[in-house]
Amino acid sequence: MSTYQTGPWTEKEISIVRRFYPNYVRLSELLPTRSPAAIRGQCRRLNLSPSKHNWTMQEIVRLSDLFPRSSWMELRREFPFATEKMLQSMANKHGIHRRVQKQPAVERA
């Protein structure tokens, strides 16, 4: 027998979901009688989702300049709306690659 509650969501539960989305860890703590799948489903039904950023040509050009040589911290600072995964995905889409820094050869004795 499941320990999770089924049935309609209360207004209190819905307000918690709206307030703490997308922090699923916190939502699970605050709604212990709802399964993780039920919480995700409720978020979808409430049309809660991260906003999608439409990249401008200027941002793509800036990414092509910075991505090969900048650290992830610098990239996140330059593109605060994007995660590392989003940056990597956009770079892959446009054929932008990171430069591999070659390690100095180690001499053997």
Side-chain angles (χ1 to χ4, degrees):
M1 185 168 186
S2 176
T3 59
Y4 293 121
Q5 173 183 343
T6 60
W9 286 63
T10 65
E11 286 300 318
K12 183 179 178 183
E13 288 174 318
I14 291 171
S15 68
I16 289 171
V17 169
R18 288 186 189 281
R19 180 168 181 209
F20 291 98
Y21 175 84
N23 187 343
Y24 286 103
V25 172
R26 187 73 175 128
L27 285 170
S28 291
E29 291 169 354
L30 294 170
L31 302 169
T33 61
R34 297 291 184 172
S35 71
I39 293 170
R40 285 190 305 276
Q42 187 64 22
C43 291
R44 277 193 307 275
R45 281 187 289 285
L46 294 171
N47 291 322
L48 300 175
S49 63
S51 59
K52 184 176 189 301
H53 179 79
N54 292 320
W55 287 69
T56 65
M57 187 51 76
Q58 288 176 322
E59 290 169 335
I60 294 168
V61 168
R62 185 78 176 133
L63 181 67
S64 68
D65 289 342
L66 294 176
F67 191 78
R69 59 182 167 74
S70 299
S71 70
W72 287 112
M73 185 180 293
E74 292 167 328
L75 290 168
R76 282 193 307 270
R77 194 175 310 124
E78 186 67 27
F79 303 99
F81 57 85
T83 63
E84 286 180 22
K85 189 174 181 178
M86 290 168 64
L87 292 167
Q88 183 69 55
S89 178
M90 187 55 66
N92 288 343
K93 180 178 178 180
H94 292 281
I96 305 166
H97 303 285
R98 298 197 47 92
R99 290 196 183 123
V100 177
Q101 293 188 355
K102 296 183 179 180
Q103 299 293 328
V106 177
E107 290 186 31
R108 296 185 182 196

